[in-house]
């Protein structure tokens, strides 16, 4: 039973560039959430996708956008990268139809470094 | 809005010592509460959960009780092992997203 998988593992970009991160949810899960974890801090919620729509969004600028595909996999796109975007980006999946407050299962993350 | 405050670390213990990490929260309604653990270089793993007041979550020797009157969800383990060295996050959810504390780094020495 495959868990949540994310790619790539590491990524190095320069300021102003654009980046796309990918996530495949755990088998049987249909909801994908994205979190940003800065060094030494707890993860911060970016947004959540369910039924290919953005269901909820955290306090992140429009430079952060996403997409969910019919197979439930998801992408996180960040435009006009800033030094402050350097972080570990975590994807989490859950079963959306069962309602809120469900445990979320996390991938190992993508470490994004901005030079 | 939602917020989670947990005990600042780092915490250093000897093997077989008692561990407690304090966690308090602010939220509207009736949130579910979670403890997640993060080992070096890995993502977060769900350690335990509680969905209503007075529920006790437990797993791998860890326990936490949902205390609505004190808005707390403290994590405890009676006898830690070196393999318990990790960062521990308290989190809540009362909608579709998780709100996390800042994390507590625990190091257990043999």
């Amino acid at each position: 039973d495959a868990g949540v998988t994310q790619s790539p593992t590491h990524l190095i970009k320069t300021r102003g560039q654009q980046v796309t991160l990918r996530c495949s949810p755990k088998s049987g899960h249909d909801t994908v959430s994205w979190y940003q974890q800065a060094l030494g801090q707890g993860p911060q919620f970016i947004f959540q996708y369910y039924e290919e729509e953005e269901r909820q969004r955290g306090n992140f600028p429009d430079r952060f956008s996403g997409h969910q595909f019919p197979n439930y996999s998801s992408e996180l796109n960040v435009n006009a990268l800033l030094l402050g975007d350097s972080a570990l980006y975590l994807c989490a999946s859950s079963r959306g139809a069962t309602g809120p407050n469900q445990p979320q299962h996390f991938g190992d993350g993508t470490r994004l470094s901005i030079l | 809005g939602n917020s989670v405050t947990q005990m600042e670390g780092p915490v250093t213990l000897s093997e077989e010592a008692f561990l407690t990490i304090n966690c308090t929260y602010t939220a509207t309604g009736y949130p579910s509460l979670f403890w997640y653990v993060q080992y070096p270089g890995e993502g977060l793993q769900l350690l335990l959960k509680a969905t209503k007041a007075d529920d006790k979550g437990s797993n791998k020797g860890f326990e936490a009780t949902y205390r609505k009157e004190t808005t707390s969800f403290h994590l405890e383990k009676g006898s830690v092992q070196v393999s318990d060295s990790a960062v521990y996050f308290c989190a809540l959810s009362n909608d579709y997203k998780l709100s996390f504390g800042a994390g507590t780094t625990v190091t257990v020495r043999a």
Side-chain angles (χ1 to χ4, degrees):
Chain A
D1 180 13
V4 179
T5 57
Q6 292 186 243
S7 63
T9 305
H10 294 89
L11 205 50
I12 299 174
K13 292 285 188 179
T14 57
R15 283 180 295 174
Q17 285 189 310
Q18 178 264 345
V19 68
T20 298
L21 311 181
R22 295 176 175 82
C23 172
S24 292
K26 179 179 167 67
S27 177
H29 288 183
D30 57 6
T31 301
V32 173
S33 302
W34 287 92
Y35 293 81
Q36 180 194 65
Q37 186 180 15
L39 198 61
Q41 298 183 22
Q44 299 293 316
F45 176 75
I46 302 175
F47 42 54
Q48 183 180 87
Y49 278 84
Y50 173 64
E51 293 188 338
E52 301 180 50
E53 301 262 341
E54 184 182 286
R55 176 157 67 181
Q56 195 168 23
R57 188 179 183 92
N59 190 25
F60 278 80
D62 291 344
R63 299 187 297 110
F64 290 78
S65 63
H67 187 76
Q68 186 178 35
F69 299 94
N71 67 352
Y72 308 123
S73 67
S74 176
E75 289 182 349
L76 164 65
N77 300 293
V78 187
N79 294 323
L81 287 166
L82 304 173
L83 292 177
D85 295 331
S86 294
L88 181 67
Y89 288 84
L90 295 166
C91 173
S93 71
S94 56
R95 292 177 182 169
T98 53
N101 302 355
Q102 299 304 311
Q104 296 184 16
H105 296 256
F106 285 80
D108 287 342
T110 295
R111 173 71 63 186
L112 176 62
S113 299
I114 311 301
L115 303 180
Chain B
N2 300 332
S3 68
V4 176
T5 302
Q6 61 181 103
M7 189 173 86
E8 288 188 18
V11 174
T12 303
L13 303 165
S14 297
E15 219 168 13
E16 299 184 3
F18 183 86
L19 170 68
T20 182
I21 304 175
N22 291 339
C23 172
T24 58
Y25 67 89
T26 302
T28 56
Y30 302 94
S32 292
L33 301 176
F34 307 89
W35 277 99
Y36 281 84
V37 59
Q38 187 173 36
Y39 298 101
E42 298 183 11
L44 279 70
Q45 299 177 24
L46 177 65
L47 183 58
L48 53 83
K49 67 174 182 176
T51 58
K52 61 183 187 296
D54 300 325
D55 267 2
K56 177 185 282 187
S58 61
N59 186 28
K60 300 181 181 180
F62 290 90
E63 293 183 341
T65 301
Y66 190 143
R67 301 289 189 199
K68 189 168 176 61
E69 63 276 13
T70 55
T71 62
S72 65
F73 192 55
H74 304 322
L75 182 69
E76 296 181 337
K77 186 174 185 182
S79 177
V80 294
Q81 305 300 312
V82 172
S83 58
D84 293 325
S85 298
V87 182
Y88 293 82
F89 292 94
C90 184
L92 71 83
S93 175
N94 63 356
D95 49 27
Y96 293 98
K97 67 175 189 250
L98 287 165
S99 298
F100 288 88
T104 301
T105 300
V106 173
T107 301
V108 180
R109 295 180 174 170

